[in-house]
Amino acid sequence: MLTTKLADNAYDVALENFDAAADALQLDNDTREMIKYPERVLTVTVPVRLDDGHIHRFEGYRVQHSMVRGPAKGGIRYHPQVTLDEVKALATWMTWKCAVVNIPFGGAKGGITCDPKRMSPGELQRMTRRYTSAILPLIGPEQDIPAPDVYTNPQTMAWIMDTYSMTKGYPIPGVVTGKPISLGGSLGRNEATGRGVFYTIQSACEHLRRPLKGATIAVQGFGNAGSIAAQLLHEAGAKVIAVSDSTGCVYNRNGLNIPELILLKALSGHVEGFPESEAISPAELLALKCDILVPAALENAIHAENASAVRATMIAEAANGPLTPAADRILESKGVFVIPDILCNAGGVTVSYFEWVQDEQHLFWEAQDVYNRLEHVMKTAFRDVLKIHLEKKVPMRIAANMLGIGRVAEAVQLRGIYP
Ligand code: NAD
């Protein structure tokens, strides 16, 4: 349902964005050589006995882009379109993202090319455990800490935590974040990404002196990130007029009842057929006249061919890499205010950091404490990025990359080169 231009390679986009920010920082070539590329790239074979008795080989990846500022951190994606280049791009963005919110992690990402919607729970569990076993030499609470991403969830994290712990011989909850609460997960982690998106939208509205109450919003992708952002925006009095998932898009110009839509999605697995809504196409959703567009699905949703149709005046990138550089240029020329992904969706990794801290300390926080700390981190990061945007007169994406890349550059310069 995405109007995705598949030709845009996410890793090329990540490198192009790096170069633009490194140029703006006037970063020297030696530092660029040290921080631009992934430190480790692992491809693994994941053989799984399917329910019909035969063995299918899946391909999986774990990429550690950077451990300059701390252990590598990043989610695991299960999707038919997962490629090594996509995982490299997502790992690269994780490095700059952790630095933007100033948490002591580097960047990583993992994925398996598979279609989880066509797999049984048993098949998913066997695939997850075998994949964990294959990447086991790389991961660990002090090394590399996976988390959920597209089509993985707390249950997936529980299987990874169990496989890792059984191999080591004792429970090690800190090996993953986004775990169920009963296994050492953090209150507030499940809604952290959407909540962070909400806080950055609040900050952007304040900066632009536009009211959030009554603002019209379209959300592409109604999963963890998109649905929670929609829920909080709805609670704040904004009108969420359209949402989509991989099966369809629903629209109501007076605003959708988001709590009921979340219930429908939980019960039926899709948003299609929601009462008091009309069906529209994915292209129509992106081109809706609205105040804020929230892409919360996959990369390259808005590209050279459809960016000029966008009529929103603000884009909040809940997804990673939803705008191509060509789209960025078109939207910039139209004066659209973009909250870039490495700032907008950093709430997930921020509360993952809180979860890891709690696991390491065996001491757990109240939900309100998590929300307060998250709000502080997100709003501070927004202010830091905005300051660069205004002072250097660069787009918000370049400003965010300058902040993140600048912090990693400083760390690598202090550490020096080994040997
Ligand atoms: P999810 O699996 O919970 O939800 C994905 C949603 O996108 C589903 O509703 C699905 O139906 C929809 N979708 C998939 N393909 C689509 C398409 N072609 N058109 C429209 N909708 C489509 O995943 P998520 O965790 O919400 O991740 C969504 C995005 O947010 C990804 O880019 C992910 O990297 C990013 N993100 C997630 C987190 C997190 O903590 N979950 C953190 C940071 C960034």
Side-chain angles (χ1 to χ4, degrees), residues 1-4 77 79 90 94 97 109 117 147-152 189-190 192-194 220-227 244-249 265 269 271 282 295-299 317-322 341 345-349 352:
M1 277 280 180
L2 270 187
T3 48
T4 297
R77 179 174 291 193
H79 195 276
L90 292 163
M94 284 305 297
K97 187 185 302 184
K109 204 79 180 190
K117 288 187 178 168
D149 190 71
V150 174
Y151 298 153
T152 57
R189 171 60 185 91
N190 193 46
T193 303
Q220 180 204 48
F222 204 60
N224 177 279
S227 69
S244 68
D245 64 10
S246 58
T247 58
C249 311
K265 173 86 178 163
V271 296
L298 298 171
E299 301 87 65
E317 293 187 324
N320 286 304
D341 48 7
N345 69 37
V349 75
S352 273

Side-chain angles (χ1 to χ4, degrees), residues 1 243-245 247-251 256 260-261 263-265 268-280:
M1 277 280 180
V243 310
S244 68
D245 64 10
T247 58
C249 311
V250 290
Y251 168 70
L256 296 158
E260 281 183 16
L261 192 49
L263 267 181
L264 174 75
K265 173 86 178 163
S268 70
H270 51 74
V271 296
E272 235 179 356
F274 184 63
E276 294 182 19
S277 75
E278 59 180 279
I280 57 171

Side-chain angles (χ1 to χ4, degrees), residues 228-248:
I228 307 275
Q231 164 86 25
L232 293 169
L233 290 162
H234 175 83
E235 284 170 12
K239 267 201 294 189
V240 182
I241 58 170
V243 310
S244 68
D245 64 10
S246 58
T247 58

Side-chain angles (χ1 to χ4, degrees), residues 32-350:
R32 290 183 198 220
E33 286 291 293
M34 294 272 289
I35 66 173
K36 182 172 177 179
Y37 303 101
E39 290 177 13
R40 289 197 185 99
V41 175
L42 180 66
T43 299
V44 295
T45 280
V46 186
V48 178
R49 190 170 298 282
L50 301 182
D51 291 345
D52 67 8
H54 89 276
I55 289 176
H56 183 82
R57 172 194 176 270
F58 295 92
E59 192 156 285
Y61 312 98
R62 186 71 187 169
V63 173
Q64 295 174 340
H65 176 263
S66 174
M67 292 209 216
V68 173
R69 298 178 72 255
K73 186 85 189 79
I76 290 177
R77 179 174 291 193
Y78 291 172
H79 195 276
Q81 286 169 14
V82 164
T83 62
L84 179 56
D85 268 359
E86 180 186 53
V87 177
K88 282 161 74 176
L90 292 163
T92 308
W93 289 325
M94 284 305 297
T95 303
W96 318 138
K97 187 185 302 184
C98 291
V100 164
V101 284
N102 214 0
I103 57 175
F105 283 143
K109 204 79 180 190
I112 304 180
T113 315
C114 64
D115 191 350
K117 288 187 178 168
R118 290 164 166 263
M119 296 172 70
S120 71
E123 289 170 339
L124 284 170
Q125 177 170 179
R126 293 193 289 281
M127 182 179 77
T128 301
R129 288 185 180 280
R130 183 61 189 244
Y131 169 72
T132 306
S133 165
I135 64 166
L136 202 119
L138 290 196
I139 62 173
E142 309 300 334
Q143 261 175 282
D144 179 356
I145 306 130
D149 190 71
V150 174
Y151 298 153
T152 57
N153 55 33
Q155 176 61 75
T156 324
M157 297 306 112
W159 291 329
I160 296 176
M161 178 269 184
D162 183 68
T163 306
Y164 186 82
S165 299
M166 293 310 288
T167 309
K168 297 289 179 184
Y170 58 99
I172 309 175
V175 65
V176 284
T177 58
K179 296 178 291 294
I181 302 296
S182 52
L183 288 178
S186 175
L187 294 171
R189 171 60 185 91
N190 193 46
E191 60 269 37
T193 303
R195 189 170 275 279
V197 170
F198 172 70
Y199 290 143
T200 60
I201 290 176
Q202 272 188 327
S203 292
C205 286
E206 268 170 40
H207 161 63
L208 298 168
R209 294 174 207 275
R210 292 186 202 159
L212 181 53
K213 198 168 164 46
T216 49
I217 296 181
V219 181
Q220 180 204 48
F222 204 60
N224 177 279
S227 69
I228 307 275
Q231 164 86 25
L232 293 169
L233 290 162
H234 175 83
E235 284 170 12
K239 267 201 294 189
V240 182
I241 58 170
V243 310
S244 68
D245 64 10
S246 58
T247 58
C249 311
V250 290
Y251 168 70
N252 180 335
R253 90 165 80 142
N254 298 316
L256 296 158
N257 184 327
I258 297 300
E260 281 183 16
L261 192 49
I262 288 176
L263 267 181
L264 174 75
K265 173 86 178 163
L267 291 174
S268 70
H270 51 74
V271 296
E272 235 179 356
F274 184 63
E276 294 182 19
S277 75
E278 59 180 279
I280 57 171
S281 71
E284 284 173 314
L285 180 138
L286 294 177
L288 277 177
K289 185 161 170 36
C290 61
D291 296 308
I292 307 171
L293 176 61
V294 183
L298 298 171
E299 301 87 65
N300 301 344
I302 305 172
H303 46 75
E305 275 86 64
N306 64 2
S308 33
V310 169
R311 287 189 287 166
T313 50
M314 184 195 298
I315 294 184
E317 293 187 324
N320 286 304
L323 270 58
T324 66
D328 266 341
R329 286 187 282 273
I330 293 167
L331 295 165
E332 172 80 8
S333 71
K334 286 161 62 113
V336 178
F337 187 85
V338 175
I339 312 173
D341 48 7
I342 62 171
L343 169 64
C344 188
N345 69 37
V349 75
T350 300

